[in-house]
Amino acid sequence: MRRALELAALGPAVGDHARVGAVVLSPTGAVLAEGWHKGAGTPHAEVDAMAKVPAEQLRGATAVVTLEPCNHVGRTGPCAVALVEAGVGRVVYAVDDPGEHAHGGADRLRAAGVDVVSGVLADEAEAFLERWLLSVRAGRPWVTVKWASSLDGRAAAADGTSRWITGAAARQHVHEQRAAHDAILVGTGTVLADDPSLTARGDAGELLADQPLPVVVGDRPVPDAAAVRRHPRGVLTLPGHDLAASLRTLRDHGVHSVFVEGGPTVASALIAAGLVDEVLVYLAPVLLGGPRVAIGDVGVGSIGERHQLDVTSTTSLGPDLLVRARPHRARTGTARPTDGATPTAAAAGADQAQNDRSTP
């Protein structure tokens, strides 16, 4: 199973699919073949592995796969059926498929007389698939909120200037994070004030292979001449009055992870609504003072209502420090809204470009 997880990591990190790996073993335990899912429309991991094995050797073989074999017809046929028809005698998997239509493969295999074992290295597989699993279970993308600030929590100087608070290494890391998410989200205010292109680029300014879908939320129109209009993937605009609904819309577009960069209003509204799964804060060793704070009202009226975070890592990026944190699992104080809450962000379009931006 651990080898299957290694194989799963070879698949594309973004896109409307889970990264899955598989290993096919003979009845004596010898490795017959390995496979992984290479992207939407390609064979699933177990089918990819079985295609490399002569049909007669699959009779009574064991398939070890990181995710429960699917039980539906999508771009490809049901993997559970393929395993049964191949004569595989045993299937071992890590995590149940939470998909409304895809789950049930294990039951189908058992009904056909296949020995099924589940939950092997489940914790490791859950951690590996956490973004995809969250998006399927919650019906919305995994949400990463990013901001850059001075050590005293300011995202811009008093006159509004903010380029650049952080150094080149931190800004390049932001580009890499953009490429590692399916979409990048900002408010219309950021587009009007900063005119970012919202592309992911390398050190030399070249476009990276993986480009996030640019998403602009707010009630003001995006100008025809805006740089984001020239994004290689086009631009998706969504109303800003209901961020929970906008996230569900993104999930319907096949977006499993979104990188939020667009100003304190949108970021604060998402945090207040309990819709944020990870926070990336790029801290520069400078002091700015003044009113231009990186995060605004997050719905905290007293210390008991605070949003508790768990710091998962700190990383030095040149002179700057990246703090990566996640909402504490056992929140203190008053309960926060759930994923079904309806946060309002009517002011999303009023976002000022107070986040330190990568090359716009």
Side-chain angles (χ1 to χ4, degrees):
M1 185 63 74
R2 190 159 283 116
R3 175 57 182 163
L5 285 167
E6 293 174 353
L7 293 166
L10 299 176
V14 293
D16 188 17
H17 57 270
R19 291 196 289 173
V20 182
V23 179
V24 177
L25 305 172
S26 73
T28 62
V31 174
L32 297 177
E34 300 177 336
W36 65 93
H37 190 201
K38 298 174 177 64
T42 65
H44 289 187
E46 51 270 61
V47 174
D48 179 52
M50 290 193 298
K52 304 168 185 175
V53 181
E56 62 274 11
Q57 293 187 29
L58 290 174
R59 310 297 299 182
T62 294
V64 180
V65 60
T66 54
L67 184 67
E68 177 188 12
C70 68
N71 192 37
H72 77 304
V73 177
R75 296 183 180 97
T76 60
C79 293
V81 172
L83 290 161
V84 171
E85 292 179 345
V88 169
R90 189 169 186 242
V91 172
V92 180
Y93 70 90
V95 179
D96 291 332
D97 192 322
E100 178 182 357
H101 303 293
H103 78 281
D107 291 339
R108 191 166 192 166
L109 289 165
R110 291 188 181 100
V114 178
D115 181 24
V116 178
V117 178
S118 64
V120 176
L121 294 187
D123 289 346
E124 292 183 32
E126 285 267 352
F128 176 76
L129 287 170
E130 62 179 354
R131 290 185 182 181
W132 183 83
L133 289 170
L134 181 281
S135 72
V136 176
R137 290 166 177 165
R140 65 161 178 84
W142 173 279
V143 176
T144 301
V145 168
K146 163 263 177 184
W147 67 83
S149 74
S150 60
L151 285 181
D152 57 347
R154 268 59 178 182
D159 64 357
T161 56
S162 63
R163 196 174 297 156
W164 302 104
I165 292 177
T166 57
R171 298 197 299 271
Q172 185 54 43
H173 189 272
V174 169
H175 277 286
E176 294 166 3
Q177 291 303 303
R178 290 180 177 184
H181 288 74
D182 293 319
I184 178 172
L185 185 148
V186 300
T188 51
T190 293
V191 172
L192 296 173
D194 210 27
D195 195 27
S197 64
L198 302 184
T199 53
R201 297 202 290 277
D203 290 329
E206 75 282 6
L207 291 178
L208 298 178
D210 292 319
Q211 288 295 321
L213 173 69
V215 180
V216 181
V217 296
D219 298 320
R220 288 183 286 175
V222 176
D224 292 340
V228 71
R229 292 285 190 191
R230 301 187 293 276
H231 194 284
R233 294 192 60 185
V235 60
L236 176 65
T237 59
L238 296 172
H241 63 278
D242 188 341
L243 289 177
S246 292
L247 290 177
R248 291 192 294 270
T249 298
L250 287 178
R251 177 65 183 83
D252 292 340
H253 278 74
V255 171
H256 290 279
S257 61
V258 60
F259 193 58
V260 179
E261 268 199 74
T265 304
V266 171
S268 300
L270 288 167
I271 292 171
L275 292 169
V276 174
D277 304 295
E278 188 168 42
V279 171
L280 271 61
V281 183
Y282 297 82
L283 291 172
V286 298
L287 300 174
L288 295 176
R292 306 278 185 164
V293 293
I295 290 294
D297 182 6
V298 292
V300 174
S302 67
I303 193 66
E305 298 174 338
R306 66 191 181 275
H307 292 267
Q308 188 72 39
L309 302 178
D310 293 326
V311 173
T312 58
S313 68
T314 57
T315 306
S316 294
L317 297 170
D320 307 312
L321 181 68
L322 167 62
V323 178
R324 190 183 294 264
R326 297 186 176 186
H328 187 61
R329 290 183 179 179
R331 281 280 172 81
T332 60
T334 304
R336 294 289 169 191
T338 65
D339 290 332
T342 305
T344 58
D351 257 334
Q352 297 301 309
Q354 292 184 9
N355 275 351
D356 183 26
R357 309 202 62 73
S358 302
T359 306

